[in-house]
Amino acid sequence: MMKDYYDILGVSKDSSGQDIKNSYRKLAKKYHPDKNPGDEKAEKKFKEAAEAYEILSNDEKRQKYDHMKEGGFQNFGGGGFDGFSGGGMDLNDILNSFFTNGGQGGGGFNNRRRRPSPRKGGDIEVKLDVPFIVAAKGGKSNMKIGQNRQKTIAVNIPVGVETGQKIKIAGEGQQGSHGGRPGNLYIEVNVLEHKIFSREKSNLICEKEISLKEALLGTSVTVQTLDKELELKVPPCTQPGATLRVKKHGIKTSRDAGDLLVKFKVRLPEELSEDQKKTIEELF
């Protein structure tokens, strides 16, 4: 059977909002759990009073409660309130559903729907080709992002970045929903090849071709670094594939500075004269 909230609060149907409030305060004070520790009956009456006051103190809820109490739902079961008794759901269940389910069906007490929680936008992953020198020395590289609305952003390239490493740009991913913050942009770096240099971690590698005469007798050569040209002395009897290490002329990071490794490639003559052959035979 439907609860009589007026009876629970000890007021009449015609009572004013202030009378209902005063009556509730007296009952709440009388049956408060702090004043009646361990008293289950007092706790029950306290909860009933709070439930009744929640409905009767709200004009809209009170009006709909009165409508239901007077038989506004009598057509549902074909026999007034008793029509609910055989379906496993009484009128109190229906009333509670109207209080809590957001007023679905047009008869609810609470027509406000719960706002969706903010959701962070998804992350985006893209690849970016970075010139070798920019990757070695650091700098900026422009790229376009977005599908419907493209925009160009300047990506800060850290010194010494390598292929496969990822750069994170916060807030440049997909837009969030319901006020959520946007996702992040992750850029996977692909370092382009260079016509002179290759690299091994923070070391730069280049090749320098010298003649057979220069390899045997020694010479001086000019090599390019990231910043300038250097003059290097090639010792006599330099073997093909020999490497000359130039300290601190590789990739300079915040942790260390790599070296420049110069690998020598000896250029042999395509053919020898008879005198050249005789001279070589005499030497070796």
Side-chain angles (χ1 to χ4, degrees):
M1 186 171 178
M2 189 175 183
K3 292 181 180 179
D4 190 336
Y5 289 141
Y6 293 105
D7 184 61
I8 290 174
L9 292 181
V11 296
S12 67
K13 183 181 175 183
D14 299 326
S15 296
S16 66
Q18 187 61 47
D19 290 338
I20 291 173
K21 184 176 182 180
N22 293 338
S23 179
Y24 166 68
R25 285 183 172 178
K26 291 178 182 179
L27 292 173
K29 184 176 180 181
K30 180 179 179 180
Y31 295 114
H32 198 282
D34 290 345
K35 294 187 67 176
N36 303 273
D39 190 334
E40 294 182 1
K41 289 184 178 181
E43 183 180 359
K44 182 180 178 181
K45 287 185 177 293
F46 178 80
K47 291 180 178 179
E48 286 181 339
E51 180 182 338
Y53 181 69
E54 180 185 359
I55 303 304
L56 300 184
S57 62
N58 183 289
D59 291 340
E60 183 181 359
K61 291 182 180 181
R62 182 179 178 181
Q63 182 180 1
K64 292 178 179 179
Y65 167 75
D66 289 342
H67 177 66
M68 294 175 67
K69 191 171 183 297
E70 291 171 0
F73 280 11
Q74 61 185 356
N75 59 322
F76 277 86
F81 296 147
D82 294 334
F84 292 94
S85 60
M89 182 176 183
D90 63 19
L91 193 56
N92 285 323
D93 294 328
I94 296 175
L95 185 61
N96 287 334
S97 73
F98 268 76
F99 291 149
T100 58
N101 289 344
Q104 296 178 5
F109 291 119
N110 184 4
N111 290 321
R112 294 175 300 173
R113 293 191 176 184
R114 183 179 179 184
R115 293 184 61 187
S117 300
R119 296 189 64 181
K120 176 180 175 290
D123 295 331
I124 297 177
E125 293 190 8
V126 296
K127 292 187 177 182
L128 176 64
D129 292 334
V130 178
F132 187 96
I133 299 299
V134 175
K137 299 177 66 174
K140 291 184 181 293
S141 187
N142 293 332
M143 71 175 300
K144 291 184 177 180
I145 61 172
Q147 295 179 347
N148 298 327
R149 295 183 179 180
Q150 282 196 344
K151 68 175 182 178
T152 300
I153 61 172
V155 182
N156 290 318
I157 308 298
V159 175
V161 67
E162 298 184 61
T163 292
Q165 290 184 334
K166 292 184 178 181
I167 300 171
K168 174 184 174 182
I169 302 182
E172 290 292 350
Q174 296 178 353
Q175 291 297 316
S177 58
H178 309 298
R181 56 192 175 91
N184 301 319
L185 175 65
Y186 290 91
I187 302 171
E188 183 177 337
V189 172
N190 176 49
V191 180
L192 300 176
E193 293 184 355
H194 193 269
K195 62 180 181 180
I196 297 175
F197 298 114
S198 60
R199 62 181 290 184
E200 187 179 89
K201 295 184 178 179
S202 59
N203 292 330
L204 284 179
I205 303 170
C206 69
E207 283 189 345
K208 190 68 177 179
E209 187 177 80
I210 57 176
S211 67
L212 177 60
K213 176 183 175 181
E214 291 172 329
L216 292 172
L217 301 179
T219 186
S220 293
V221 296
T222 300
V223 296
Q224 180 68 47
T225 70
L226 288 175
D227 304 307
K228 60 183 180 179
E229 292 183 341
L230 289 179
E231 192 80 12
L232 299 181
K233 288 186 177 181
V234 181
C237 298
T238 294
Q239 300 296 314
T243 299
L244 184 64
R245 182 181 294 269
V246 185
K247 293 283 190 180
K248 306 297 183 182
H249 281 281
I251 298 173
K252 299 177 177 66
T253 68
S254 59
R255 297 185 300 272
D256 62 358
D259 301 330
L260 174 64
L261 305 179
V262 183
K263 293 186 176 182
F264 291 103
K265 182 179 180 181
V266 179
R267 183 177 66 253
L268 300 176
E270 295 182 0
E271 58 181 3
L272 296 173
S273 66
E274 292 299 323
D275 289 340
Q276 290 173 329
K277 290 179 182 178
K278 184 177 181 180
T279 300
I280 292 174
E281 288 176 351
E282 290 175 354
L283 290 174
F284 298 100

